[in-house]
Amino acid sequence: MVYRELLGRRLIDKKIERNLKELSLIPSKYFEALYIERRTEIISPVFDLLEEEEKEKRGELIELLKEGIVDTKIEIAKYGLYERMVDVTSSMKEVRILMTENVERIKDEEYKELVNILKDVSKLGKIMFQMVENLYKDYNVALEKFGELKNSSEIIINSITQFRFLDDKMITRYNLEDPKVLISNGIRECIQSMMNVGEKIVEIIEEFKFNS
Amino acid sequence: MADIVLIIMVIASVILSFAIGTNDETFAPVVGVKRLSVKSAVIIGAIIAVFGAFLLAPKVSDTLNNDISTIQISNEIVLIISVFISMAICLILASIFGLPISSTEAMVGSILGLTFARGEKIIWGWEGMGHIFFTWAVSPILGFIGSLLLMKLMNKILSKTVKGLSGLETSNAISGSLLLIMVVIAGFSRAGNDISNAIAPIYPLFQNPEASIFYQRIPMLLGGVGLGLGLIIIGWRVLKSLGNDVVELTPESAFVTQASSALITLIATLLGIPVSGTMILVASFIGAGYGSKKPINLKSVRTIVLFIFLTPLFSGLCAVAFYYLLRGVF
């Protein structure tokens, strides 16, 4: 036990780092695959592989976080980041389910519009991955990437808000039964969870950065 | 009769060593940064205490036994027991509440109280109390300044070298390892310094020039074992409270805390000066916390400082009370 406390910690840290990075790359790959699948209408086997990988990474991370000392601030912060990443992976799977369920109910034009957005969300996922990568490598680059993540998110969310309409009292509303709104809300939720990952990374940097 | 006296004094010494062990906060920074669990910390601490007391205690014992008072306490069993009981009560009570207090202070307070009560002469000059007051006053100041400067220097280096979380974790691992080395040094030197309080009166009884070195060092060995047991049975409370309550520690600031306090204590022990390890360590905690701009729990600090001032008074009064009580019995 003493040996593990003295020498095993760094190995666990390294494994957590690798798994967090790999988990953060999955949403980007998933949305890329979803975009290709919906464009070509060829069912892709990649989703099963990605979902399996995601499950595996989550399992490994939870075990590693248990092995580590979870009551130090840095471990708590990493656990918080892990939880937010899990939100992203959960909401990305939700988007695919919504698209499959509503494909028959939605107009072709609107569906294509949403499919194009998937490409941008995939790019957003890549930026999120780069943030996680640079959280470990270079805080300043990670902060720059957060700026990119924020700007790209705003652009995508603005393109989604065109599904709003004005009601009788001239208040902006969404028709929550409309399939395009259901799907776009799913996408927006996923983008929001990616932003949450970004914000958590900024929080970690602010907390652990050394100031002379 | 001489054998019975020797046995009683040895038992009293072991009990006091146990009490000192209950209040040994050396491993608090390691526990504070969760580098070691409390369980591992007390086991390692106990082993180090035995070796430290065996190897380093004799030098300080000579100083304490000869310089403070004109009372030759080793000649009077009632006096010794009174001092030991009052010290043990102070230390164990404080430990139960998780408060670190100084064993050196408790001992000096007891001896001073008895000296006053018996109307004996106290040596206030540099050769006696003056020397001790000076080291008590200077040690915390050195501890604070040393840890503050070291923390500033460390922050400057780390802000330039640590670019990301990976670098931070490497820094934490290195600081954690250095912290453990420092804890071992501090454990050795503190065991030497603190156990000398418990064994000072019985130490001369074992100094037969014809006996082996091992026989001469039996008091230190017994003291070390007692200290180790005290650390394991009650000492974890102090480790938990000082490690977690005073200031938020990082591996870097904990290393700085330990480095400055270990170095000052070690130098003092090698010079034969009875310093208060508690004062140095608490001051180092505050210095490192201030240097790393972490919030300091002033309420905890105030309580610790208050008890540092009250310890000699309380132990002095206890010793006098027990002296008159025991004199009636013997």
Side-chain angles (χ1 to χ4, degrees):
Chain A
M1 187 181 76
V2 174
Y3 170 80
R4 211 179 71 181
E5 283 174 22
L6 295 179
L7 302 169
R9 178 78 178 272
R10 191 72 191 107
L11 284 175
I12 294 172
D13 285 341
K14 280 276 169 203
K15 284 183 191 168
I16 291 173
E17 178 184 340
R18 198 192 66 221
N19 279 288
L20 279 176
K21 284 178 187 171
E22 285 172 359
L23 183 66
S24 70
L25 188 57
I26 291 173
S28 169
K29 290 195 274 185
Y30 195 91
F31 278 106
E32 177 78 27
L34 191 57
Y35 168 73
I36 293 165
E37 184 192 61
R38 298 297 149 161
R39 285 273 291 195
T40 58
E41 291 177 7
I42 301 166
I43 301 297
S44 170
V46 173
F47 296 106
D48 290 339
L49 294 173
L50 287 175
E51 283 178 21
E52 190 56 41
E53 190 188 344
E54 185 254 351
K55 200 176 157 189
E56 194 186 304
K57 294 293 158 206
R58 279 172 64 170
E60 274 179 40
L61 270 168
I62 207 76
E63 283 304 314
L64 288 165
L65 288 166
K66 268 192 220 165
E67 270 185 58
I69 305 167
V70 290
D71 52 354
T72 57
K73 274 198 159 185
I74 196 164
E75 293 297 323
I76 292 168
K78 277 191 228 171
Y79 188 76
L81 182 61
Y82 161 79
E83 278 188 318
R84 292 189 185 200
M85 278 190 204
V86 170
D87 284 346
V88 178
T89 55
S90 303
S91 54
M92 81 186 180
K93 285 184 265 184
E94 189 66 27
V95 171
R96 188 178 177 225
I97 293 167
L98 285 168
M99 292 197 94
T100 311
E101 282 175 353
N102 294 292
V103 68
E104 302 297 332
R105 294 171 58 213
I106 195 168
K107 288 177 197 162
D108 270 1
E109 200 178 301
E110 285 171 346
Y111 188 73
K112 276 178 190 164
E113 208 174 321
L114 285 167
V115 169
N116 284 334
I117 287 172
L118 293 178
K119 180 78 182 165
D120 296 331
V121 180
S122 169
K123 284 178 190 164
L124 206 63
K126 191 74 184 286
I127 299 172
M128 183 187 78
F129 159 72
Q130 287 167 340
M131 265 198 92
V132 176
E133 198 178 34
N134 281 295
L135 166 70
Y136 278 95
K137 206 169 154 189
D138 192 330
Y139 292 144
N140 293 330
V141 178
L143 292 173
E144 276 171 30
K145 289 287 164 193
F146 181 64
E148 273 182 47
L149 186 76
K150 218 170 158 183
N151 292 337
S152 304
S153 299
E154 273 171 22
I155 293 167
I156 301 171
I157 286 173
N158 281 338
S159 65
I160 288 172
T161 52
Q162 61 184 279
F163 298 129
R164 287 180 303 187
F165 67 91
L166 294 174
D167 68 4
D168 300 340
K169 292 174 186 167
M170 301 302 281
I171 298 170
T172 310
R173 291 204 185 280
Y174 289 99
N175 176 5
L176 294 173
E177 283 176 13
D178 188 340
K180 66 176 184 282
V181 172
L182 282 173
I183 297 169
S184 62
N185 269 353
I187 294 172
R188 193 170 43 200
E189 204 174 301
C190 195
I191 293 168
Q192 185 55 53
S193 55
M194 284 184 191
M195 276 299 293
N196 289 345
V197 169
E199 279 166 8
K200 184 70 193 174
I201 290 171
V202 173
E203 197 185 301
I204 293 172
I205 292 171
E206 278 169 6
E207 187 166 0
F208 295 104
K209 195 175 184 181
F210 285 104
N211 296 310
S212 57
Chain B
M1 183 62 187
D3 286 345
I4 294 169
V5 170
L6 180 68
I7 290 166
I8 290 171
M9 287 187 0
V10 168
I11 291 170
S13 280
V14 174
I15 289 170
L16 181 58
S17 303
F18 173 86
I20 292 169
T22 65
N23 210 268
D24 187 350
E25 68 286 336
T26 313
F27 276 70
V30 192
V31 172
V33 295
K34 318 286 190 288
R35 195 72 207 167
L36 283 179
S37 63
V38 176
K39 195 177 166 187
S40 303
V42 293
I43 291 168
I44 295 174
I47 295 166
I48 290 169
V50 175
F51 284 102
F54 189 75
L55 297 170
L56 291 177
K59 205 168 174 64
V60 182
S61 296
D62 290 336
T63 308
L64 280 170
N65 207 36
N66 298 327
D67 295 348
I68 299 171
S69 166
T70 53
I71 298 175
Q72 290 302 303
I73 55 174
S74 58
N75 297 329
E76 295 187 45
I77 190 166
V78 173
L79 272 176
I80 295 167
I81 293 174
S82 304
V83 170
F84 280 20
I85 290 176
S86 70
M87 283 179 72
I89 287 173
C90 283
L91 290 165
I92 292 173
L93 271 178
S95 305
I96 287 169
F97 290 104
L99 282 167
I101 61 167
S102 162
S103 59
T104 311
E105 269 193 295
M107 195 204 71
V108 173
S110 300
I111 294 174
L112 275 180
L114 288 170
T115 311
F116 267 125
R118 286 161 54 98
E120 303 280 348
K121 186 188 167 197
I122 294 169
I123 302 169
W124 291 107
W126 183 251
E127 298 78 20
M129 286 308 300
H131 192 185
I132 291 170
F133 281 142
F134 178 77
T135 54
W136 284 354
V138 166
S139 304
I141 296 168
L142 289 177
F144 178 83
I145 294 171
S147 64
L148 177 69
L149 293 176
L150 204 56
M151 195 68 240
K152 291 267 180 202
L153 179 70
M154 190 164 232
N155 269 345
K156 210 171 179 86
I157 295 166
L158 290 174
S159 64
K160 284 182 182 158
T161 52
V162 173
K163 301 283 179 203
L165 207 57
S166 195
L168 174 70
E169 285 176 345
T170 306
S171 157
N172 283 354
I174 294 168
S175 302
S177 305
L178 291 173
L179 175 66
L180 279 168
I181 294 168
M182 286 296 168
V183 158
V184 172
I185 296 170
F188 267 114
S189 56
R190 283 211 63 186
N193 189 62
D194 289 357
I195 285 304
S196 61
N197 290 342
I199 60 160
I202 62 164
Y203 175 69
L205 304 173
F206 286 81
Q207 302 315 299
N208 180 356
E210 290 168 17
S212 67
I213 290 177
F214 183 78
Y215 177 81
Q216 289 179 28
R217 296 209 170 186
I218 282 176
M220 297 82 172
L221 189 63
L222 291 171
V225 171
L227 194 148
L229 286 174
L231 188 60
I232 290 169
I233 295 168
I234 305 176
W236 57 270
R237 291 169 186 267
V238 179
L239 296 189
K240 271 178 95 170
S241 100
L242 187 61
N244 300 321
D245 292 351
V246 176
V247 68
E248 186 191 309
L249 287 175
T250 61
E252 290 78 16
S253 61
F255 162 67
V256 166
T257 299
Q258 202 68 48
S260 54
S261 66
L263 284 172
I264 292 165
T265 312
L266 183 66
I267 292 165
T269 307
L270 292 173
L271 293 174
I273 301 165
V275 291
S276 165
T278 306
M279 287 184 192
I280 295 172
L281 192 65
V282 173
S284 299
F285 263 81
I286 299 166
Y290 189 71
S292 58
K293 294 171 186 158
K294 295 281 180 191
I296 295 163
N297 185 346
L298 290 175
K299 196 181 165 193
S300 294
V301 173
R302 271 198 294 268
T303 312
I304 292 168
V305 171
L306 179 70
F307 271 77
I308 284 172
F309 279 105
L310 287 179
T311 298
L313 191 67
F314 183 74
S315 65
L317 291 173
C318 263
V320 172
F322 275 106
Y323 174 70
Y324 286 110
L325 193 75
L326 290 171
R327 213 168 61 162
V329 177
F330 288 99

